[in-house]
Amino acid sequence: MNRRDFLAATATAPLLGSLPLFANNNSSTAVDSLLVHTTTPMNAEPHLANLVKSDITPVSQFYIRSHAPNPKIDPAAFRLKVEGLVERELSISLSELANDYSSVRVTATLTCAGNRRYEHSKVSPVKGVPWREGAIGNAVWSGVPLAAILKKAGVKQEAKHVWFEGLDEIEKGGGIIPFGASIPIPKAMDSSEKMPGAMVVTQMNNKPLTPDHGFPVRTVVPGYIGARSVKWLGKIVVSDKPSTNHYVATAYKIVERADAMEWAEKAPIYRFVLNSVICTPVADQRVEPGNLTVRGYALPHGESGRTVKSVEVSADGGRSWSRAKLGSTSAYCWCLWEANVSVSPGTNGLLVRATDSAGKTQPQHVDWNKKGYLFNAWHHVPVK
Ligand SMILES: Nc1nc2c(c(=O)[nH]1)N[C@H]1C(S)=C(S)[C@@H](COP(=O)(O)O)O[C@H]1N2
Ligand SMILES: [Mo]
């Protein structure tokens, strides 16, 4: 199947729920059709059958992961600050961002490091939002390559990391902190027009960002976990070390004990991992014996040039595998797929596994980690 046929096959069904009208305030999206984990702050994900309907995820079906309520931002007064190890500090208004820099538009997948945490919790309980498999979406992002802004500011020789700071106010340890992230300088300075290492984004799917997704400005870091793509971006700091913000210095690491020593010793997670998920049929759905069409998504490891190479589905516990037809595949992007399997009266579940262009296949099992990050074991869906 070529890309157009595939998109036609998967993108036609109407989406559930209504498209909200967005005001430039802090109000949250109408989330009728999402599985809502918490409302203040908003944490919600789409149902899998909706997620797999289109290669580009509509904003109304895009997961929302926020650590605090959306900040109120006046677009006219807004300035993006650039400081730290730079020759010139910058204070960029929205109109300067639009007029003084050339903009780019890229398609990239955003996924939360905690995607599939719910399954991980079945091994042993894990704290945190119990994400199913929907904390992922593929969108078209428009904005300015981070490298262009850094070039204008003039990065000093000693620079090693670029910090991002949000304008949100998160209650943490008795105080208030913003959400923060940082990325290494080579990633920040990667200025390929087709896929910059990082972007300062103002539009999602060709419309201004909504409050839930970071209006007016966010970063998008293709290939990295969602936590590095800071919403409501207020400040960029060039530094000789990784950010000292809680969400880099402590959270978003793979730990087993989660004591102070381990938090201090472990490195932050940057790239997302090879993964695949069955979206239809959904868990516990009744299926008839005979031929069954299975649909889902697969994600390559978030490394330059890696794409999904093959996806295999099994209806007999992994004894035999059917190769899926793949939709469009590109680096830093998910790939939708469709497979036909033969269901027997004894079938009680479906399995999927993906292999990417580096020849790596998803692991059958993964080691448990205390925070339930980067879960990418073969996805199993029980069916009746
Ligand atoms: N300022 C800010 N940026 C943030 C967050 C946040 O809580 N505050 N959450 C992060 C996490 S953990 C993820 S997975 C993505 C989710 O982006 P989305 O809500 O647009 O899907 O935003 C990231 N950026
Ligand atoms: Mo996340």
Side-chain angles (χ1 to χ4, degrees), residues 41-44 62-68 71 110-114 131 135-137 141 165-168 170 178-180 204 209 212-214 218-219 225-233 247 252:
M42 184 57 72
N43 284 294
F62 208 97
Y63 81 98
I64 301 164
R65 200 290 176 249
S66 297
H67 290 74
L110 205 65
T111 186
C112 184
W131 297 110
I136 185 168
W141 309 100
E165 210 175 278
L167 293 165
D168 42 354
I170 306 169
F179 190 85
M204 180 176 181
L209 288 167
D212 283 320
H213 295 290
R218 75 176 301 165
T219 56
I225 58 166
R228 308 307 174 212
S229 292
V230 173
K231 304 193 279 188
W232 315 294
L233 180 69
Y247 297 96
Y252 296 106

Side-chain angles (χ1 to χ4, degrees), residues 35-55:
L35 167 62
V36 176
H37 296 289
T38 63
T39 53
T40 318
M42 184 57 72
N43 284 294
E45 63 183 302
H47 296 283
L48 294 179
N50 291 334
L51 182 61
V52 83
K53 280 176 184 166
S54 58
D55 191 46

